[in-house]
Amino acid sequence: RRPRQSPDRARRNRRSIARTMCDDPKWGPDEQFGAPEVTLHTSHGPVTLELYYKHAPKTCQNFFELAKRGYYDDVVFHRVIKDFMIQGGDPTGTGRGGESVFGGKFEDEISKGLRHVGAGILVMANSGPNTNKSQFFITLAPTPWLDGKHAIFGRVSSGMSVVRAIGAVKVDKNDRPLKEVKILRCECDDKGFSWY
């Protein structure tokens, strides 16, 4: 059995890790505070998403700009499948709507280095290859059958308990929550630099 760290030592280690991340050569001079983030303030609580802007720059631009413009405010999670995913991003709430920040559909940014290996992965929803608009989902479990078919563009960095709570709500036969689960508003943090 692995021994537990004391709270003081754990805090020191976290500070050390934070410093290491900031000093990591993968971050440029203007990126010392890490990757851009979007926090979804939902009816169940906040969920902070770290964006993989180096792997999927256009997809991250689309999501970040839509969130910044208030496009996702008061939008429901219209599809929830237990042990699979929660899906939102459609202002019509039907699962058939939504537009990208570019005005139409845009191409998939599939990175071989990113796979659907667990819960908390931020992914674009689509209706086939290169049909990305505004809809997205967050995984609740590994979904390897989606590898190569959907663009992964981020991960939950904080608020996974909220994601799990949303993933456990009661739904109807069409996987729609019986009681509305909403994104109330979004908070965007570009970390002081622009990648687009």
Side-chain angles (χ1 to χ4, degrees):
R1 185 170 155 183
R2 193 172 175 179
R4 296 180 66 181
Q5 286 184 335
S6 72
D8 287 342
R9 184 168 181 182
R11 270 194 296 275
R12 285 197 302 272
N13 285 346
R14 281 196 296 273
R15 284 197 295 268
S16 175
I17 289 167
R19 283 195 300 272
T20 303
M21 286 177 66
C22 290
D23 294 339
D24 193 313
K26 74 182 176 186
W27 303 118
D30 57 346
E31 305 170 276
Q32 293 301 300
F33 299 104
E37 292 178 335
V38 172
T39 298
L40 308 178
H41 293 276
T42 78
S43 51
H44 278 56
V47 178
T48 299
L49 304 164
E50 175 189 323
L51 303 184
Y52 294 161
Y53 70 100
K54 289 188 177 181
H55 295 85
K58 191 169 185 177
T59 308
C60 290
Q61 176 186 355
N62 179 67
F63 184 76
F64 192 89
E65 280 293 329
L66 289 176
K68 191 164 75 170
R69 295 176 189 185
Y71 190 84
Y72 294 131
D73 293 1
D74 291 318
V75 171
V76 299
F77 285 96
H78 62 271
R79 191 173 177 224
V80 172
I81 303 178
K82 188 178 181 182
D83 298 323
F84 177 25
M85 59 88 185
I86 63 173
Q87 184 172 334
D90 174 9
T92 72
T94 64
R96 296 185 294 275
E99 288 297 327
S100 77
V101 76
F102 310 111
K105 301 171 183 176
F106 66 95
E107 67 277 9
D108 296 324
E109 290 182 304
I110 306 290
S111 174
K112 291 181 180 178
L114 299 176
R115 292 176 296 169
H116 300 78
V117 294
I121 297 172
L122 178 62
V123 191
M124 284 303 288
N126 62 39
S127 56
N130 305 310
T131 57
N132 301 291
K133 291 184 179 180
S134 64
Q135 292 189 44
F136 62 91
F137 63 91
I138 301 171
T139 61
L140 296 169
T143 55
W145 62 91
L146 300 180
D147 289 348
K149 297 176 183 175
H150 291 263
I152 294 171
F153 67 103
R155 70 174 185 95
V156 174
S157 59
S158 175
M160 194 60 209
S161 61
V162 175
V163 173
R164 290 194 188 97
I166 295 172
V169 300
K170 292 183 178 180
V171 297
D172 64 17
K173 63 181 181 180
N174 296 313
D175 303 314
R176 188 179 184 85
L178 296 177
K179 187 177 179 182
E180 263 189 358
V181 181
K182 274 188 174 183
I183 299 169
L184 304 174
R185 65 183 178 87
C186 297
E187 189 178 342
C188 302
D189 184 355
D190 62 11
K191 302 295 184 180
F193 71 95
S194 178
W195 70 97
Y196 61 87

Coordinates of all heavy atoms in Angstrom, one line a residue, residues 41-123:
H41 N -20.1 27.3 -16.8 CA -20.9 27.4 -15.6 C -22.2 26.8 -15.9 O -23.1 27.4 -16.5 CB -21.0 28.9 -15.1 CG -19.7 29.5 -14.7 ND1 -19.1 29.3 -13.5 CD2 -18.7 30.2 -15.4 CE1 -18.0 29.9 -13.4 NE2 -17.7 30.4 -14.6
T42 N -22.4 25.6 -15.4 CA -23.6 24.8 -15.7 C -24.6 24.9 -14.5 O -24.2 25.3 -13.4 CB -23.3 23.3 -16.0 OG1 -23.1 22.6 -14.8 CG2 -22.1 23.2 -16.9
S43 N -25.8 24.4 -14.7 CA -26.8 24.3 -13.7 C -26.4 23.3 -12.6 O -27.0 23.3 -11.5 CB -28.2 23.9 -14.3 OG -28.1 22.8 -15.1
H44 N -25.4 22.5 -12.8 CA -24.8 21.5 -11.8 C -23.5 22.0 -11.2 O -23.0 21.4 -10.3 CB -24.6 20.2 -12.5 CG -25.9 19.3 -12.6 ND1 -27.0 19.8 -13.2 CD2 -26.2 18.1 -12.1 CE1 -28.0 18.8 -13.1 NE2 -27.5 17.8 -12.4
G45 N -23.0 23.1 -11.7 CA -21.7 23.6 -11.2 C -20.7 23.9 -12.4 O -21.0 23.6 -13.5
P46 N -19.5 24.4 -12.0 CA -18.5 24.8 -13.1 C -17.7 23.6 -13.6 O -17.3 22.7 -12.8 CB -17.6 25.8 -12.4 CG -17.7 25.4 -10.9 CD -19.1 24.8 -10.7
V47 N -17.4 23.6 -14.9 CA -16.5 22.6 -15.5 C -15.5 23.4 -16.3 O -15.9 24.2 -17.2 CB -17.3 21.7 -16.5 CG1 -16.3 20.7 -17.2 CG2 -18.4 20.9 -15.7
T48 N -14.2 23.3 -16.0 CA -13.2 24.0 -16.7 C -12.5 23.0 -17.7 O -12.1 21.9 -17.4 CB -12.1 24.5 -15.7 OG1 -12.7 25.4 -14.8 CG2 -11.0 25.2 -16.5
L49 N -12.4 23.5 -18.9 CA -11.9 22.8 -20.0 C -10.5 23.4 -20.5 O -10.5 24.5 -20.9 CB -12.9 22.7 -21.2 CG -14.3 22.2 -20.8 CD1 -15.3 22.6 -21.9 CD2 -14.2 20.7 -20.6
E50 N -9.5 22.6 -20.5 CA -8.2 23.0 -21.1 C -8.2 22.6 -22.6 O -8.6 21.5 -23.0 CB -7.1 22.2 -20.4 CG -5.7 22.5 -21.0 CD -4.6 21.6 -20.5 OE1 -4.7 21.3 -19.3 OE2 -3.7 21.2 -21.3
L51 N -7.8 23.6 -23.4 CA -7.9 23.4 -24.9 C -6.6 23.0 -25.5 O -5.5 23.5 -25.2 CB -8.4 24.7 -25.6 CG -9.7 25.3 -25.1 CD1 -10.1 26.5 -25.9 CD2 -10.8 24.3 -25.2
Y52 N -6.6 22.0 -26.3 CA -5.4 21.4 -27.0 C -5.2 22.2 -28.3 O -5.4 21.7 -29.4 CB -5.6 19.9 -27.3 CG -5.7 19.0 -26.1 CD1 -6.2 17.8 -26.2 CD2 -5.2 19.4 -24.9 CE1 -6.3 16.9 -25.1 CE2 -5.3 18.6 -23.8 CZ -5.8 17.3 -23.9 OH -5.9 16.5 -22.8
Y53 N -4.9 23.5 -28.1 CA -4.8 24.4 -29.3 C -3.6 24.1 -30.2 O -3.7 24.5 -31.4 CB -4.7 25.8 -28.8 CG -3.4 26.2 -28.1 CD1 -2.4 26.8 -28.8 CD2 -3.1 25.8 -26.8 CE1 -1.1 27.1 -28.3 CE2 -1.9 26.0 -26.3 CZ -0.9 26.7 -27.0 OH 0.3 26.9 -26.4
K54 N -2.6 23.3 -29.8 CA -1.5 23.0 -30.7 C -1.9 21.8 -31.6 O -1.4 21.7 -32.7 CB -0.3 22.7 -29.9 CG 0.3 23.9 -29.3 CD 1.7 23.7 -28.6 CE 2.3 24.9 -28.1 NZ 3.6 24.7 -27.5
H55 N -2.8 20.9 -31.0 CA -3.2 19.7 -31.8 C -4.4 20.1 -32.7 O -4.5 19.5 -33.8 CB -3.6 18.6 -30.9 CG -2.5 18.0 -30.1 ND1 -2.1 18.6 -28.9 CD2 -1.7 17.0 -30.3 CE1 -1.1 17.9 -28.4 NE2 -0.9 16.9 -29.2
A56 N -5.3 21.0 -32.3 CA -6.5 21.3 -33.0 C -6.8 22.8 -33.0 O -7.7 23.2 -32.4 CB -7.7 20.5 -32.5
P57 N -5.9 23.6 -33.6 CA -6.0 25.1 -33.5 C -7.3 25.6 -34.0 O -7.9 26.5 -33.3 CB -4.8 25.6 -34.3 CG -4.4 24.5 -35.2 CD -4.7 23.2 -34.4
K58 N -7.8 25.2 -35.1 CA -9.0 25.7 -35.7 C -10.3 25.3 -34.8 O -11.2 26.1 -34.6 CB -9.2 25.2 -37.1 CG -10.3 26.0 -37.9 CD -10.3 25.6 -39.4 CE -11.3 26.5 -40.1 NZ -11.2 26.3 -41.6
T59 N -10.3 24.1 -34.4 CA -11.4 23.6 -33.5 C -11.4 24.3 -32.2 O -12.5 24.7 -31.7 CB -11.2 22.1 -33.3 OG1 -11.0 21.4 -34.5 CG2 -12.4 21.5 -32.6
C60 N -10.2 24.6 -31.6 CA -10.2 25.4 -30.4 C -10.6 26.8 -30.6 O -11.3 27.4 -29.8 CB -8.8 25.3 -29.8 SG -8.3 23.7 -29.2
Q61 N -10.2 27.4 -31.7 CA -10.6 28.7 -32.1 C -12.1 28.8 -32.2 O -12.8 29.7 -31.6 CB -10.0 29.2 -33.4 CG -10.5 30.6 -33.9 CD -10.0 30.9 -35.3 OE1 -9.2 30.2 -35.9 NE2 -10.5 32.0 -35.8
N62 N -12.7 27.8 -32.8 CA -14.2 27.8 -33.0 C -14.9 27.7 -31.6 O -15.8 28.6 -31.3 CB -14.6 26.6 -33.8 CG -16.1 26.4 -34.0 OD1 -16.7 27.2 -34.6 ND2 -16.6 25.4 -33.4
F63 N -14.4 26.8 -30.8 CA -15.1 26.7 -29.5 C -14.8 27.9 -28.6 O -15.8 28.4 -27.9 CB -14.5 25.4 -28.8 CG -15.1 25.1 -27.5 CD1 -16.3 24.5 -27.4 CD2 -14.4 25.3 -26.3 CE1 -16.9 24.1 -26.2 CE2 -14.9 25.0 -25.1 CZ -16.2 24.4 -25.0
F64 N -13.6 28.4 -28.5 CA -13.3 29.5 -27.7 C -14.1 30.8 -28.1 O -14.6 31.5 -27.3 CB -11.8 29.8 -27.8 CG -11.2 30.8 -26.7 CD1 -10.8 30.3 -25.5 CD2 -11.2 32.1 -27.0 CE1 -10.3 31.2 -24.6 CE2 -10.7 33.0 -26.1 CZ -10.3 32.5 -24.8
E65 N -14.1 31.0 -29.4 CA -14.8 32.2 -29.9 C -16.3 32.1 -29.7 O -17.0 33.1 -29.3 CB -14.6 32.4 -31.4 CG -13.2 33.1 -31.7 CD -13.2 34.5 -31.2 OE1 -14.2 35.2 -31.1 OE2 -12.1 35.0 -30.8
L66 N -16.9 30.9 -29.9 CA -18.4 30.7 -29.6 C -18.7 31.0 -28.2 O -19.6 31.6 -27.8 CB -18.8 29.4 -30.1 CG -18.9 29.1 -31.6 CD1 -19.2 27.6 -31.8 CD2 -19.9 30.0 -32.3
A67 N -17.8 30.4 -27.3 CA -18.0 30.6 -25.9 C -17.9 32.0 -25.5 O -18.7 32.6 -24.7 CB -17.0 29.7 -25.1
K68 N -16.9 32.7 -26.0 CA -16.6 34.1 -25.7 C -17.8 35.0 -26.1 O -18.1 36.0 -25.4 CB -15.3 34.6 -26.3 CG -14.8 35.9 -25.9 CD -13.3 36.2 -26.2 CE -13.2 36.5 -27.7 NZ -11.8 36.9 -28.0
R69 N -18.4 34.7 -27.2 CA -19.5 35.5 -27.8 C -20.9 35.2 -27.1 O -21.9 35.8 -27.5 CB -19.6 35.2 -29.3 CG -18.4 35.7 -30.1 CD -18.5 35.4 -31.5 NE -17.3 35.6 -32.2 CZ -17.1 35.5 -33.5 NH1 -18.1 35.1 -34.3 NH2 -15.9 35.8 -34.1
G70 N -20.9 34.2 -26.2 CA -22.1 33.9 -25.5 C -23.0 32.9 -26.2 O -24.2 32.7 -25.9
Y71 N -22.5 32.3 -27.3 CA -23.2 31.4 -28.1 C -23.8 30.2 -27.3 O -24.9 29.7 -27.6 CB -22.4 30.9 -29.3 CG -23.1 30.1 -30.3 CD1 -23.7 30.8 -31.4 CD2 -23.1 28.7 -30.3 CE1 -24.4 30.1 -32.4 CE2 -23.8 28.0 -31.4 CZ -24.4 28.7 -32.4 OH -25.1 28.0 -33.4
Y72 N -23.0 29.7 -26.3 CA -23.4 28.6 -25.5 C -24.2 28.9 -24.3 O -24.6 28.0 -23.6 CB -22.1 27.8 -25.1 CG -21.4 27.1 -26.2 CD1 -20.0 27.3 -26.3 CD2 -22.0 26.4 -27.2 CE1 -19.3 26.7 -27.4 CE2 -21.3 25.8 -28.2 CZ -20.0 25.9 -28.3 OH -19.3 25.3 -29.3
D73 N -24.4 30.2 -24.0 CA -25.1 30.6 -22.8 C -26.6 30.2 -22.9 O -27.2 30.3 -24.0 CB -25.1 32.2 -22.7 CG -23.7 32.7 -22.3 OD1 -22.7 31.9 -22.3 OD2 -23.6 33.9 -22.2
D74 N -27.1 29.6 -21.8 CA -28.5 29.1 -21.7 C -28.7 27.9 -22.7 O -29.9 27.7 -23.1 CB -29.5 30.2 -22.0 CG -29.5 31.2 -20.8 OD1 -29.4 30.7 -19.6 OD2 -29.6 32.4 -21.1
V75 N -27.7 27.2 -23.1 CA -27.8 26.1 -24.0 C -27.8 24.8 -23.2 O -27.0 24.6 -22.3 CB -26.7 26.1 -25.1 CG1 -26.7 24.8 -25.9 CG2 -26.9 27.3 -26.0
V76 N -28.7 23.9 -23.5 CA -28.9 22.6 -22.8 C -27.9 21.6 -23.2 O -27.4 21.6 -24.4 CB -30.3 22.1 -22.9 CG1 -31.3 23.1 -22.3 CG2 -30.7 21.7 -24.3
F77 N -27.6 20.6 -22.3 CA -27.0 19.4 -22.7 C -28.2 18.5 -23.2 O -29.0 18.0 -22.4 CB -26.3 18.7 -21.6 CG -25.0 19.4 -21.3 CD1 -24.9 20.3 -20.3 CD2 -23.8 19.0 -22.0 CE1 -23.7 21.0 -20.0 CE2 -22.6 19.7 -21.7 CZ -22.5 20.6 -20.7
H78 N -28.3 18.3 -24.5 CA -29.5 17.7 -25.1 C -29.4 16.2 -25.1 O -30.4 15.5 -25.3 CB -29.8 18.3 -26.5 CG -28.7 18.0 -27.5 ND1 -27.7 18.8 -27.6 CD2 -28.5 16.9 -28.3 CE1 -26.9 18.4 -28.6 NE2 -27.3 17.2 -29.0
R79 N -28.2 15.7 -24.9 CA -28.0 14.2 -25.0 C -27.1 13.8 -23.9 O -26.0 14.2 -23.8 CB -27.5 13.9 -26.4 CG -27.5 12.4 -26.7 CD -27.1 12.2 -28.2 NE -26.9 10.9 -28.6 CZ -26.0 10.3 -29.3 NH1 -25.0 11.1 -29.8 NH2 -25.9 9.1 -29.6
V80 N -27.5 12.8 -23.1 CA -26.7 12.3 -22.0 C -26.9 10.7 -22.1 O -28.0 10.2 -22.0 CB -27.2 12.8 -20.7 CG1 -26.4 12.1 -19.5 CG2 -26.9 14.3 -20.6
I81 N -25.7 10.1 -22.2 CA -25.7 8.6 -22.2 C -24.8 8.1 -21.1 O -23.6 8.4 -21.2 CB -25.3 8.0 -23.6 CG1 -26.2 8.6 -24.7 CG2 -25.3 6.5 -23.6 CD1 -25.9 8.1 -26.1
K82 N -25.4 7.5 -20.2 CA -24.6 7.0 -19.0 C -23.4 6.1 -19.4 O -23.5 5.3 -20.3 CB -25.5 6.2 -18.1 CG -24.9 5.8 -16.8 CD -25.8 5.1 -15.9 CE -25.2 4.8 -14.5 NZ -26.1 4.0 -13.7
D83 N -22.3 6.4 -18.8 CA -21.0 5.7 -19.1 C -20.5 5.8 -20.5 O -19.8 5.0 -21.1 CB -21.2 4.2 -18.8 CG -21.5 3.9 -17.3 OD1 -20.9 4.6 -16.5 OD2 -22.3 3.0 -17.0
F84 N -21.0 6.9 -21.2 CA -20.5 7.2 -22.6 C -20.2 8.7 -22.7 O -19.0 9.0 -22.8 CB -21.6 6.8 -23.6 CG -21.3 7.1 -25.0 CD1 -20.0 7.2 -25.5 CD2 -22.3 7.3 -25.9 CE1 -19.6 7.5 -26.8 CE2 -22.0 7.6 -27.3 CZ -20.7 7.7 -27.7
M85 N -21.2 9.6 -22.7 CA -20.8 11.0 -22.9 C -22.0 11.9 -22.5 O -23.2 11.4 -22.4 CB -20.4 11.2 -24.3 CG -21.3 10.9 -25.4 SD -22.4 12.2 -25.7 CE -23.6 11.4 -26.9
I86 N -21.7 13.2 -22.4 CA -22.7 14.2 -22.3 C -22.5 15.2 -23.5 O -21.4 15.5 -23.8 CB -22.7 15.0 -21.0 CG1 -21.4 15.8 -20.8 CG2 -22.9 14.1 -19.8 CD1 -21.3 16.7 -19.6
Q87 N -23.6 15.6 -24.2 CA -23.4 16.3 -25.4 C -24.2 17.6 -25.4 O -25.4 17.6 -24.9 CB -23.9 15.5 -26.6 CG -23.7 16.2 -28.0 CD -24.0 15.3 -29.2 OE1 -23.9 14.1 -29.0 NE2 -24.4 15.8 -30.3
G88 N -23.6 18.7 -25.8 CA -24.3 20.0 -25.9 C -23.8 20.9 -27.0 O -23.1 20.4 -27.9
G89 N -24.1 22.2 -26.9 CA -23.5 23.1 -28.0 C -24.5 23.4 -29.1 O -24.1 24.2 -30.0
D90 N -25.8 23.0 -29.0 CA -26.8 23.2 -30.0 C -27.8 24.2 -29.4 O -28.6 23.8 -28.6 CB -27.5 21.9 -30.5 CG -28.6 22.2 -31.4 OD1 -28.8 23.4 -31.9 OD2 -29.4 21.2 -31.7
P91 N -27.8 25.5 -29.9 CA -28.7 26.5 -29.3 C -30.2 26.1 -29.5 O -31.1 26.6 -28.8 CB -28.4 27.7 -30.1 CG -27.1 27.5 -30.7 CD -26.9 26.1 -30.9
T92 N -30.5 25.3 -30.5 CA -31.9 24.8 -30.7 C -32.3 23.8 -29.7 O -33.5 23.5 -29.6 CB -32.1 24.3 -32.2 OG1 -31.5 23.0 -32.3 CG2 -31.6 25.3 -33.2
G93 N -31.3 23.1 -29.1 CA -31.6 22.1 -28.2 C -32.2 20.8 -28.8 O -32.6 19.9 -28.1
T94 N -32.1 20.7 -30.1 CA -32.6 19.5 -30.8 C -31.6 18.4 -31.1 O -31.9 17.3 -31.4 CB -33.3 19.9 -32.1 OG1 -32.3 20.5 -33.0 CG2 -34.4 20.9 -31.8
G95 N -30.3 18.9 -31.2 CA -29.3 18.0 -31.7 C -29.1 18.1 -33.2 O -28.2 17.4 -33.7
R96 N -29.8 18.9 -33.8 CA -29.7 19.1 -35.3 C -29.3 20.5 -35.7 O -29.1 20.8 -36.9 CB -31.1 18.8 -35.9 CG -31.5 17.3 -35.8 CD -32.8 17.0 -36.5 NE -34.0 17.8 -36.0 CZ -34.7 17.4 -35.0 NH1 -34.4 16.3 -34.4 NH2 -35.7 18.1 -34.6
G97 N -29.1 21.4 -34.7 CA -28.7 22.7 -35.0 C -27.3 23.1 -34.7 O -26.5 22.3 -34.3
G98 N -27.0 24.4 -34.7 CA -25.7 24.9 -34.4 C -24.9 25.3 -35.6 O -25.1 24.8 -36.7
E99 N -24.1 26.4 -35.5 CA -23.3 26.9 -36.5 C -21.9 27.1 -36.0 O -21.7 27.4 -34.8 CB -23.8 28.2 -37.1 CG -25.0 28.1 -37.9 CD -24.8 27.2 -39.2 OE1 -23.7 27.3 -39.8 OE2 -25.8 26.6 -39.6
S100 N -20.9 27.0 -36.8 CA -19.5 27.3 -36.4 C -19.3 28.8 -36.4 O -20.0 29.5 -37.0 CB -18.5 26.5 -37.3 OG -18.4 27.2 -38.5
V101 N -18.2 29.2 -35.9 CA -17.8 30.6 -35.9 C -17.4 31.0 -37.3 O -17.4 32.2 -37.6 CB -16.7 30.9 -34.8 CG1 -15.3 30.4 -35.3 CG2 -16.6 32.3 -34.5
F102 N -17.1 30.0 -38.1 CA -16.7 30.3 -39.5 C -17.8 30.4 -40.5 O -17.7 30.6 -41.7 CB -15.7 29.2 -40.0 CG -14.6 28.9 -39.0 CD1 -14.5 27.7 -38.3 CD2 -13.6 29.9 -38.8 CE1 -13.5 27.5 -37.4 CE2 -12.6 29.6 -37.9 CZ -12.6 28.4 -37.2
G103 N -19.1 30.1 -40.0 CA -20.2 30.3 -40.8 C -20.8 29.0 -41.4 O -21.9 28.9 -41.8
G104 N -20.0 28.0 -41.5 CA -20.4 26.7 -42.1 C -19.7 25.5 -41.4 O -19.2 25.7 -40.3
K105 N -19.7 24.4 -42.0 CA -19.0 23.2 -41.5 C -17.5 23.4 -41.7 O -17.1 24.1 -42.6 CB -19.5 21.9 -42.2 CG -21.0 21.7 -42.0 CD -21.4 20.5 -42.9 CE -22.9 20.3 -42.9 NZ -23.4 19.3 -43.8
F106 N -16.7 22.8 -40.8 CA -15.3 22.8 -41.0 C -14.6 21.5 -40.8 O -15.3 20.6 -40.3 CB -14.6 23.9 -40.2 CG -14.6 23.7 -38.7 CD1 -13.6 23.1 -38.1 CD2 -15.7 24.1 -37.9 CE1 -13.6 22.9 -36.7 CE2 -15.8 23.9 -36.6 CZ -14.7 23.3 -35.9
E107 N -13.4 21.4 -41.3 CA -12.7 20.0 -41.4 C -12.3 19.5 -40.0 O -12.1 20.2 -39.1 CB -11.5 20.1 -42.3 CG -10.4 21.0 -41.8 CD -10.5 22.5 -42.0 OE1 -11.6 22.9 -42.5 OE2 -9.5 23.2 -41.8
D108 N -12.2 18.2 -40.0 CA -11.7 17.5 -38.8 C -10.3 17.7 -38.6 O -9.5 17.7 -39.5 CB -11.9 16.0 -38.9 CG -13.4 15.6 -39.0 OD1 -14.2 16.2 -38.4 OD2 -13.7 14.6 -39.7
E109 N -9.9 17.9 -37.3 CA -8.5 18.0 -37.0 C -8.2 16.8 -36.1 O -8.2 16.9 -34.9 CB -8.2 19.3 -36.2 CG -8.3 20.6 -37.1 CD -7.9 21.8 -36.4 OE1 -8.6 22.1 -35.3 OE2 -7.0 22.6 -36.8
I110 N -7.9 15.7 -36.8 CA -7.6 14.5 -36.1 C -6.1 14.3 -35.8 O -5.3 14.4 -36.7 CB -8.1 13.2 -36.9 CG1 -9.6 13.4 -37.3 CG2 -7.8 11.9 -36.1 CD1 -10.6 13.3 -36.2
S111 N -5.8 14.2 -34.5 CA -4.4 14.0 -34.2 C -4.1 12.6 -33.7 O -4.8 12.1 -32.8 CB -4.0 15.0 -33.1 OG -2.7 14.7 -32.6
K112 N -3.2 11.9 -34.3 CA -2.9 10.5 -34.0 C -2.4 10.4 -32.5 O -2.5 9.3 -31.9 CB -1.8 9.9 -34.9 CG -2.4 9.7 -36.3 CD -1.3 9.1 -37.3 CE -1.9 8.9 -38.7 NZ -0.8 8.4 -39.6
G113 N -1.9 11.5 -32.0 CA -1.4 11.4 -30.6 C -2.5 11.5 -29.6 O -2.2 11.4 -28.4
L114 N -3.7 11.8 -30.0 CA -4.8 12.0 -29.1 C -5.8 10.9 -29.3 O -6.3 10.7 -30.4 CB -5.5 13.3 -29.2 CG -4.6 14.6 -29.0 CD1 -5.4 15.8 -29.3 CD2 -4.1 14.6 -27.6
R115 N -6.2 10.2 -28.2 CA -7.2 9.1 -28.3 C -8.2 9.2 -27.2 O -8.0 9.8 -26.2 CB -6.5 7.8 -28.3 CG -5.6 7.5 -29.5 CD -4.8 6.2 -29.4 NE -3.9 6.3 -28.3 CZ -3.2 5.2 -27.8 NH1 -3.4 4.0 -28.3 NH2 -2.4 5.3 -26.8
H116 N -9.3 8.5 -27.4 CA -10.4 8.5 -26.5 C -10.2 7.5 -25.4 O -10.8 6.4 -25.4 CB -11.8 8.3 -27.2 CG -12.1 9.2 -28.2 ND1 -11.5 9.3 -29.5 CD2 -13.0 10.3 -28.2 CE1 -12.0 10.2 -30.2 NE2 -12.9 10.9 -29.5
V117 N -9.2 7.8 -24.5 CA -8.7 6.8 -23.6 C -9.4 6.8 -22.2 O -9.2 5.9 -21.4 CB -7.2 6.9 -23.4 CG1 -6.4 6.6 -24.6 CG2 -6.9 8.3 -22.8
G118 N -10.3 7.7 -22.0 CA -10.9 7.8 -20.6 C -12.0 8.8 -20.5 O -12.4 9.4 -21.5
A119 N -12.4 9.1 -19.3 CA -13.4 10.1 -19.1 C -12.8 11.5 -19.1 O -11.6 11.7 -18.8 CB -14.1 9.9 -17.7
G120 N -13.6 12.5 -19.4 CA -13.2 13.9 -19.3 C -12.5 14.4 -20.6 O -11.9 15.5 -20.6
I121 N -12.7 13.8 -21.7 CA -12.1 14.2 -23.0 C -13.1 15.1 -23.7 O -14.3 14.7 -23.8 CB -11.6 13.0 -23.8 CG1 -10.5 12.2 -23.1 CG2 -11.2 13.4 -25.2 CD1 -10.1 10.9 -23.7
L122 N -12.7 16.2 -24.2 CA -13.5 17.2 -24.9 C -13.4 16.9 -26.4 O -12.3 16.9 -27.0 CB -13.1 18.6 -24.6 CG -13.8 19.7 -25.3 CD1 -15.3 19.8 -24.9 CD2 -13.1 21.1 -24.9
V123 N -14.5 16.6 -27.1 CA -14.5 16.1 -28.5 C -15.6 16.9 -29.3 O -16.7 17.2 -28.8 CB -14.8 14.6 -28.5 CG1 -14.6 14.0 -29.9 CG2 -14.0 13.9 -27.4

